Amino acid sequence: SKDAGGGKHNCYEPQLHANAEERRTLEIALRSALEKGEFHLVYQPVVSADDSAIEGFETLLRWTHPEMGVIPPYKFITVAEDARLIAPIGEWVLRTACEEAVNWPSTVRVAVNVSAEQLSDPNFVTAVISALSHSGLPPHRLELEVTESVFLREGTGAIAILDQILGLGVRLALDDFGTGYSSLGYLRKTQFSTIKIDRSFVQGAAKKSAESLAIIRAVVAMADSLGMTTTAEGAETEEEFEMIRELGCTKVQGYLFGKPMVAEEARKLMVRAQQR
Ligand code: C2E
Ligand code: CA
Ligand code: CA
Ligand code: CA
């Protein structure tokens, strides 16, 4: 269709086409990725802002396709959600992370990301119960990270599912705070242990952005008065860490303290920390 339409049409169509085609290719490959064992998990340390002690690790999913190579989560998570593949993949992540974390020191928690799609399926609660009972991980050592988008889906039963999960003794963290739909009403509806402050605010604060500073101050004050902790995400530099400490965030996560690492490296990091 080279001569169809104007230059504008020809300019934009190939990009759109490639994108849809890429998504289709990814979807087909994703359908067999679990059974072919193409996924693995990496863990990123979350440390105390006071003394840098390891509080836990966030579980992050990695997909290596034999021909396409390493495919980043931002490319395949939304494809998995749209293709209804996130439930089985998410169950695998949950089960595998719990099995790994049960061998860690008993003070160290494991966090697992959960898509809004997973929380509109009542079977999700069963999957959490089964991951805990098969692994033997105490519920209070598991934290599920959900984003504000969960609360956009009124009527999907997501809030009731979150309540059932809280009833198990599992903790909840509100992820990417401040980047999405922002209404504070749901902070009364669901009991979060932790608010994760998105990296964009952390970067902004270190650059002395008045808005970022004011937002982090307000979030920390609100979390304190509601009995929640705060985790600042994506700290890469000493300047960012200094600012985070000054602002009173409870915990920090970022390349400065450790990139996402395979389970064996995470274990070594914990052993070294215990010897100190
Ligand atoms: P997220 O939950 O906000 O995870 C944090 C992301 O920030 C991770 O990217 C992590 O590697 C990156 N990060 C951490 N520290 C730094 C830093 O200091 N600097 C920079 N530039 N980046 C940092 P990753 O692993 O690519 O994951 C991207 C997103 O994919 C996650 O964002 C999460 O929304 C999603 N995701 C990853 N694993 C899973 C999973 O198992 N299930 C679901 N549903 N989503 C997942
Ligand atoms: Ca997260
Ligand atoms: Ca996040
Ligand atoms: Ca994010």
Side-chain angles (χ1 to χ4, degrees):
S1 67
K2 275 244 170 70
D3 44 14
K8 195 178 166 197
H9 176 84
N10 282 335
C11 179
Y12 286 106
E13 202 203 15
Q15 189 50 48
L16 269 175
H17 186 68
N19 209 353
E21 191 166 288
E22 185 183 35
R23 288 178 69 90
R24 254 173 45 102
T25 308
L26 289 179
E27 181 181 331
I28 292 163
L30 266 179
R31 290 199 181 278
S32 58
L34 256 187
E35 63 193 47
K36 287 182 182 158
E38 292 169 2
F39 291 120
H40 75 274
L41 299 180
V42 287
Y43 301 90
Q44 185 178 32
V46 178
V47 307
S48 158
D50 284 341
D51 58 6
S52 301
I54 299 172
E55 301 259 328
F57 286 85
E58 178 177 2
T59 308
L60 295 157
L61 182 58
R62 295 292 178 262
W63 179 25
T64 311
H65 186 271
E67 278 114 48
M68 292 184 277
V70 177
I71 301 156
Y74 77 86
K75 280 196 177 170
F76 73 82
I77 296 284
T78 56
V79 176
E81 288 168 349
D82 294 346
R84 299 179 160 271
L85 291 167
I86 197 69
I89 295 171
E91 273 185 40
W92 178 84
V93 172
L94 198 57
R95 200 161 12 93
T96 311
C98 289
E99 280 166 7
E100 195 61 55
V102 78
N103 302 313
W104 299 348
S106 62
T107 54
V108 180
R109 290 195 193 96
V110 65
V112 173
N113 290 287
V114 174
S115 291
E117 278 72 12
Q118 291 173 269
L119 290 169
S120 53
D121 178 0
N123 292 326
F124 180 68
V125 180
T126 316
V128 174
I129 294 171
S130 126
L132 290 170
S133 64
H134 282 115
S135 62
L137 186 76
H140 68 269
R141 287 179 57 196
L142 175 64
E143 186 163 86
L144 300 183
E145 298 192 1
V146 304
T147 62
E148 295 160 298
S149 64
V150 162
F151 299 96
L152 277 178
R153 310 175 153 230
E154 288 291 345
T156 59
I159 291 174
I161 291 173
L162 290 177
D163 279 343
Q164 291 181 57
I165 286 164
L166 285 169
L168 300 173
V170 170
R171 297 161 59 101
L172 295 178
L174 189 53
D175 203 358
D176 298 347
F177 188 76
T179 60
Y181 163 76
S182 286
S183 154
L184 299 176
Y186 52 73
L187 285 175
R188 281 187 316 198
K189 291 188 195 161
T190 302
Q191 198 195 317
F192 290 97
S193 300
T194 306
I195 295 178
K196 299 193 79 172
I197 301 171
D198 192 72
R199 171 166 183 257
S200 52
F201 298 107
V202 172
Q203 284 179 302
K207 288 183 192 132
K208 306 279 188 287
S209 143
E211 292 79 12
S212 292
L213 286 167
I215 288 167
I216 297 182
R217 268 195 204 102
V219 173
V220 168
M222 182 183 69
D224 280 350
S225 63
L226 292 171
M228 303 173 186
T229 61
T230 45
T231 302
E233 294 191 301
E236 294 183 354
T237 65
E238 290 292 347
E239 290 71 33
E240 285 167 354
F241 179 45
E242 261 319 296
M243 192 53 74
I244 287 162
R245 283 170 53 104
E246 271 169 40
L247 290 166
C249 293
T250 329
K251 290 174 277 183
V252 200
Q253 180 179 357
Y255 294 169
L256 184 64
F257 299 95
K259 290 198 169 181
M261 57 190 89
V262 295
E264 185 51 30
E265 281 177 64
R267 210 193 320 275
K268 282 183 195 154
L269 188 70
M270 284 180 269
V271 169
R272 260 182 278 139
Q274 276 185 326
Q275 286 165 346
R276 249 185 272 130

